[in-house]
């Protein structure tokens, strides 16, 4: 139809028109009608709103979930924390699956859309567990009455809601930022594109921080004051709005097509290397297969066994266009080097798991805050679940001071540009995380001793005469540790991995958090099992005053100290790291664009 219409156009408006400027014409009057403009700043509010509302809904459910499980489902502290560990593991692992599905099969738009629907379904099911009395165990308020335990169907309904929310997060979180960046693919030039993307990134990360703070204050406050029905109903409404806003702008989105599966590429390298294990290494670079357009080059000597995957055995292995006749028989040098880069960073990636274990301890600080004086005034007290906001506040303040005050001041004093390499910041983060666990143990030791002196040993619900503001110190240290480690790790992955592996670089941090949640469950279960016996209370007892949470914190501090030594060893083994412009790489710009501001 467009070809027929073009016959009526002037020569300068024919098939040479750009897609973004193409016009369509009605059959009767041939009056030009401009095609709908797609992408750009007008899509930014919808994408940011989708991610921000999902953050408010999901992060608002976690802080008080310990109370919900212990009070309504009568779980002990170990079972509660383990369930939350598994939920966190699924929530952090499924974004990796979502990234693969988006890039290789469904595309980012459809993946985010489905994720929004699943998240809404999950929050709705969780809300139903609070609304329907038979969805949870009945109350047992009468003296001497035997409390009925949670049935299998009730427990499975609860777990089902967690699973739906994890699947939803797996669709939204890995794709939202990248999909937003896709909306600016039609920028006039690299300079304009970078300026617009910097604005988008700034608003995106600002909205993420604000949404988490709202979740840790507003949603938690609703749950404390108005109960679970309202406290879970509001997140469900927010997730409905999140999905609605995202789909409303569907006609205006730029929807990139799916790409090849990078994980399949890694498997191909391993398979072909095993097939060619008996081949000898060639002496000429031309005997190695590489992408069309790149000059002959030899793979690096590190992990040399993998080099056999790109050895050309016969001319028939390469097609006339330069591609492999069968990718399961011959890979490119670039494929091999990508896999090598990933294998090399994995030991240093594993050093960040311990920090994530420390940060995932959500139930114990909640019980501590609940037992302490949380009043700021006679009429207002901080909800126990809101103390996590101090970690976010400390993270934000530290990043601002580090980037806008400390580095410029150090550069001025030195007379040259000063910056800490990402790998150095990773090490500092591990050290600060260790100190946070030490301080957490000290605060808990003082709190428990005061509780015993007040005669509250058998009364875990009693209020200890100690200000809960002391918990701000370990929370702030956790925030600073997160600022150093998470940001440093992300920059390190983007620096060391090839540009084609940017999606994997962004997924590694989440994968570490998923593994950390599983290992945290193992550590907690082991501590509970081996520290209790006949007449001996577990360190992680549900009765916070009978347990020894300080010992548990100090155990994590010792493990973190050993992890710091392991980190130093991994750094020595890895050798010098690269130093590239991370902003350019995240924006998809060339490292040669030195003319950009």
């Amino acid at each position: 139809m467009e070809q027929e219409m073009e016959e009526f156009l002037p020569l300068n408006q024919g098939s040479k028109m750009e897609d973004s400027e193409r016009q369509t014409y009605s059959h009767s009057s041939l009056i030009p009608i401009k095609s709908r403009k797609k992408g750009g700043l007008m899509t930014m509010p919808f994408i940011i709103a989708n991610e921000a509302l999902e953050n408010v809904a999901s992060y608002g459910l976690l802080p008080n979930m310990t109370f919900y499980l212990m009070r309504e489902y009568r779980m002990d502290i170990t079972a509660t924390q383990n369930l939350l560990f598994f939920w966190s593991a699924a929530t952090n692992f499924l974004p990796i699956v979502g990234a693969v599905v988006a890039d290789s099969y469904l595309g980012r738009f459809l993946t985010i859309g489905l994720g929004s629907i699943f998240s809404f379904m999950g929050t709705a099911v969780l809300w139903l567990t609070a609304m329907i009395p038979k969805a949870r165990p009945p109350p047992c308020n009468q003296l001497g009455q035997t409390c009925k335990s949670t049935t299998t169907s009730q427990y499975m309904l609860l777990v089902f809601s967690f699973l739906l929310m994890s699947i939803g997060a797996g669709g939204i979180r890995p794709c939202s930022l990248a999909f937003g960046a896709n909306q600016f693919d039609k920028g006039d030039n690299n300079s304009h594109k970078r300026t617009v993307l910097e604005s988008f990134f700034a608003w995106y990360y600002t909205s993420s921080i604000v949404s988490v703070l709202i979740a840790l204050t507003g949603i938690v406050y609703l749950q404390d004051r108005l109960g679970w029905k309202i406290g879970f109903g509001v997140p469900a409404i927010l997730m409905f709005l999140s999905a609605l806003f995202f789909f409303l702008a569907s006609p205006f989105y730029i929807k990139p097509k799916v790409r090849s599966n990078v994980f399949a590429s890694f498997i191909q390298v391993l398979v072909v290397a095993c097939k060619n294990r008996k081949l000898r290494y060639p002496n000429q670079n031309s005997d190695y297969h590489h992408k069309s357009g790149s000059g002959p080059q030899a793979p690096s000597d590190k992990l040399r066994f993998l080099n056999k995957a790109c050895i050309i055995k016969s001319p028939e292995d390469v097609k006339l266009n330069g591609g492999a006749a069968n990718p399961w028989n011959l890979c490119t040098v670039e494929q091999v080097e990508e896999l090598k880069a990933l294998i090399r960073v994995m030991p240093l990636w594993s050093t960040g798991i311990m920090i994530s274990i420390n940060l995932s301890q959500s139930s114990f600080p909640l019980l501590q805050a609940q037992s302490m004086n949380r009043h700021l005034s006679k009429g207002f007290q901080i909800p126990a679940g809101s103390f996590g906001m101090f970690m976010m506040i400390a993270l934000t303040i530290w990043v601002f001071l580090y980037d806008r005050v400390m580095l410029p001041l150090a550069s001025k004093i030195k007379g040259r540009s000063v910056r800490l390499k990402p790998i150095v910041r990773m090490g500092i983060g591990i050290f600060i995380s260790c100190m946070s666990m030490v301080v957490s143990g000290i605060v808990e030791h003082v709190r428990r001793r005061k509780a015993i002196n007040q005669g509250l040993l058998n009364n875990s619900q009693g209020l200890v005469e100690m200000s809960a503001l002391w918990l701000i110190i370990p929370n702030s240290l956790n925030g600073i540790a997160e600022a150093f480690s998470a940001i440093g790790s992300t920059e390190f992955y983007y620096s060391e991995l090839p540009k084609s592996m940017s999606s994997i670089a962004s997924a590694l941090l989440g994968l570490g958090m998923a593994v950390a949640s599983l290992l945290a469950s193992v550590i907690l279960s082991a501590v509970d099992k081996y520290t209790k016996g006949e007449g001996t209370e577990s360190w992680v007892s549900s009765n916070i005053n009978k347990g020894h949470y300080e010992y548990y914190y100090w155990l994590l501090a010792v493990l973190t100290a050993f992890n710091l030594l392991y980190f130093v060893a991994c750094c020595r083994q890895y050798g010098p790291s690269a130093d590239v412009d991370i902003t350019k790489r995240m924006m998809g710009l060339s490292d040669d664009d030195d003319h950009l501001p």
Side-chain angles (χ1 to χ4, degrees):
M1 182 65 67
E2 285 186 357
Q3 291 178 353
E4 295 177 359
M5 293 299 102
E6 285 172 0
E7 294 179 1
F8 296 92
L9 300 177
L11 293 177
N12 62 345
Q13 291 184 327
S15 58
K16 292 183 180 180
M17 293 175 63
E18 296 293 333
D19 290 339
S20 59
E21 300 173 352
R22 186 172 296 277
Q23 299 175 334
T24 56
Y25 290 74
S26 63
H27 288 282
S28 58
S29 61
L30 294 182
I31 298 175
I33 304 175
K34 290 187 177 180
S35 61
R36 180 183 287 127
K37 182 181 179 181
K38 293 190 175 184
L41 291 175
M42 65 178 176
T43 61
M44 184 172 69
F46 298 95
I47 297 173
I48 291 178
N50 172 260
E51 173 74 7
L53 291 174
E54 191 273 338
N55 283 339
V56 174
S58 57
Y59 285 101
L61 294 174
L62 183 60
N64 275 341
M65 190 57 65
T66 298
F67 290 149
Y68 186 64
L69 298 179
M70 294 182 69
R71 295 171 183 174
E72 303 297 330
Y73 287 82
R74 290 191 282 281
M75 297 182 184
D76 61 31
I77 185 63
T78 301
T80 296
Q81 183 65 81
N82 278 334
L83 179 57
L84 296 181
F85 279 148
F86 294 142
W87 182 22
S88 177
T91 302
N92 286 302
F93 176 75
L94 287 177
I96 300 172
V97 179
V100 175
V101 170
D103 288 347
S104 305
Y105 302 102
L106 299 181
R108 288 168 181 161
F109 169 77
L110 189 56
T111 303
I112 295 174
L114 292 175
S116 301
I117 294 173
F118 273 101
S119 289
F120 166 66
M121 292 169 58
T123 54
V125 172
L126 181 63
W127 174 67
L128 290 177
T129 65
M131 292 294 295
I132 303 175
K134 291 186 178 181
R136 59 188 188 279
C140 48
N141 298 325
Q142 300 178 8
L143 295 177
Q145 180 182 2
T146 302
C147 297
K148 293 184 179 180
S149 59
T150 306
T151 64
T152 302
S153 59
Q154 291 170 341
Y155 185 78
M156 293 306 296
L157 181 64
L158 177 69
V159 172
F160 182 59
S161 69
F162 291 165
L163 179 61
L164 287 175
M165 286 186 282
S166 295
I167 294 174
I172 297 174
R173 296 182 184 180
C175 303
S176 184
L177 183 61
F179 185 68
N182 291 148
Q183 306 311 308
F184 305 98
D185 285 345
K186 291 185 177 181
D188 297 337
N189 51 61
N190 282 343
S191 179
H192 173 72
K193 179 179 179 181
R194 181 170 185 175
T195 302
V196 174
L197 279 174
E198 281 181 343
S199 175
F200 170 69
F201 288 161
W203 279 105
Y204 182 90
Y205 286 115
T206 301
S207 68
S208 297
I209 294 173
V210 171
S211 61
V212 173
L213 290 177
I214 293 174
L216 295 177
T217 53
I219 302 298
V220 171
Y221 186 81
L222 288 177
Q223 293 166 358
D224 280 2
R225 292 292 182 178
L226 302 179
W228 304 116
K229 294 179 181 180
I230 300 297
F232 289 166
V234 171
I237 294 174
L238 292 178
M239 270 315 309
F240 173 77
L241 294 176
S242 174
L244 177 64
F245 288 151
F246 182 75
F247 282 112
L248 278 177
S250 176
F252 306 106
Y253 292 136
I254 295 174
K255 302 170 185 177
K257 296 181 180 179
V258 298
R259 303 192 303 269
S260 60
N261 192 337
V262 67
F263 291 97
S265 173
F266 294 156
I267 296 174
Q268 288 172 354
V269 172
L270 294 173
V271 170
V272 178
C274 290
K275 285 183 179 180
N276 297 346
R277 62 186 179 277
K278 295 183 179 180
L279 292 180
R280 293 184 177 180
Y281 295 104
N283 295 323
Q284 297 181 357
N285 294 350
S286 58
D287 292 331
Y288 289 105
H289 180 52
H290 20 77
K291 289 182 179 179
S292 301
S294 62
Q297 57 180 333
S300 62
D301 290 332
K302 295 181 179 179
L303 300 171
R304 197 180 182 200
F305 168 76
L306 296 175
N307 293 355
K308 295 187 176 183
C310 55
I311 297 177
I312 302 175
K313 293 179 290 186
S314 64
E316 290 77 14
D317 290 338
V318 182
K319 295 188 294 186
L320 294 178
N321 61 3
N326 185 349
W328 293 97
N329 287 329
L330 179 63
C331 299
T332 64
V333 172
E334 290 78 9
Q335 283 179 275
V336 171
E337 291 304 311
E338 287 175 353
L339 180 57
K340 286 182 179 181
L342 180 62
I343 294 175
R344 287 191 65 218
V345 303
M346 292 311 288
L348 280 166
W349 164 82
S350 66
T351 64
I353 293 176
M354 195 64 225
I355 294 183
S356 297
I357 291 177
N358 296 341
L359 295 174
S360 65
Q361 309 297 323
S362 59
S363 294
F364 304 123
L366 185 68
L367 295 182
Q368 286 177 284
Q370 182 71 13
S371 69
M372 301 168 74
N373 182 6
R374 295 175 279 113
H375 282 89
L376 292 181
S377 64
K378 291 184 178 181
F380 177 77
Q381 64 177 356
I382 303 174
S386 295
F387 276 82
M389 70 177 179
F390 293 108
M391 185 181 80
M392 296 299 303
I393 293 173
L395 186 154
T396 305
I397 293 176
W398 178 260
V399 169
F400 175 80
L401 291 177
Y402 174 79
D403 189 53
R404 300 298 180 181
V405 178
M406 299 177 67
L407 287 185
L409 182 61
S411 300
K412 186 175 181 180
I413 294 174
K414 289 282 189 179
R416 58 181 176 81
S417 178
V418 175
R419 62 184 296 269
L420 292 177
K421 284 190 174 182
I423 201 168
V424 176
R425 279 180 276 161
M426 292 166 62
I428 295 175
I430 296 174
F431 174 76
I432 296 176
S433 182
C434 179
M435 292 299 99
S436 174
M437 292 298 101
V438 172
V439 173
S440 296
I442 294 174
V443 172
E444 170 56 19
H445 179 73
V446 175
R447 190 212 62 82
R448 182 176 182 273
R449 187 176 60 188
K450 286 181 176 291
I452 294 175
N453 291 338
Q454 291 177 217
L456 299 176
L457 180 62
N458 297 314
N459 182 13
S460 60
Q461 302 301 318
L463 186 64
V464 180
E465 294 178 359
M466 179 179 177
S467 175
L469 297 181
W470 284 104
L471 296 174
I472 295 178
I473 300 175
N475 272 289
S476 298
L477 289 174
N478 277 332
I480 297 173
E482 176 82 351
F484 272 106
S485 178
I487 298 175
S489 297
T490 302
E491 289 193 14
F492 175 75
Y493 303 145
Y494 272 98
S495 298
E496 298 302 310
L497 296 179
K499 182 180 177 181
S500 58
M501 298 173 66
S502 295
S503 59
I504 294 180
S506 63
L508 282 176
L509 190 63
L511 177 62
M513 296 171 67
V515 174
S517 296
L518 297 177
L519 290 180
S521 177
V522 172
I523 294 173
L524 177 63
S525 299
V527 169
D528 183 55
K529 178 180 179 180
Y530 293 110
T531 59
K532 70 179 178 181
E534 296 183 5
T536 305
E537 197 77 19
S538 168
W539 287 2
V540 289
S541 170
S542 297
N543 185 328
I544 186 174
N545 296 330
K546 283 188 175 181
H548 283 280
Y549 291 3
E550 70 270 33
Y551 295 167
Y552 179 65
Y553 284 132
W554 288 335
L555 173 63
L556 294 179
V558 171
L559 294 176
T560 309
F562 281 112
N563 183 63
L564 182 59
L565 298 176
Y566 170 62
F567 171 80
V568 174
C570 290
C571 288
R572 291 183 177 179
Q573 178 65 29
Y574 190 86
S577 57
D579 189 11
V580 302
D581 191 328
I582 306 301
T583 304
K584 289 181 183 178
R585 178 164 293 186
M586 290 184 69
M587 293 180 180
L589 303 179
S590 170
D591 291 334
D592 297 328
D593 293 329
D594 295 329
H595 63 280
L596 299 180

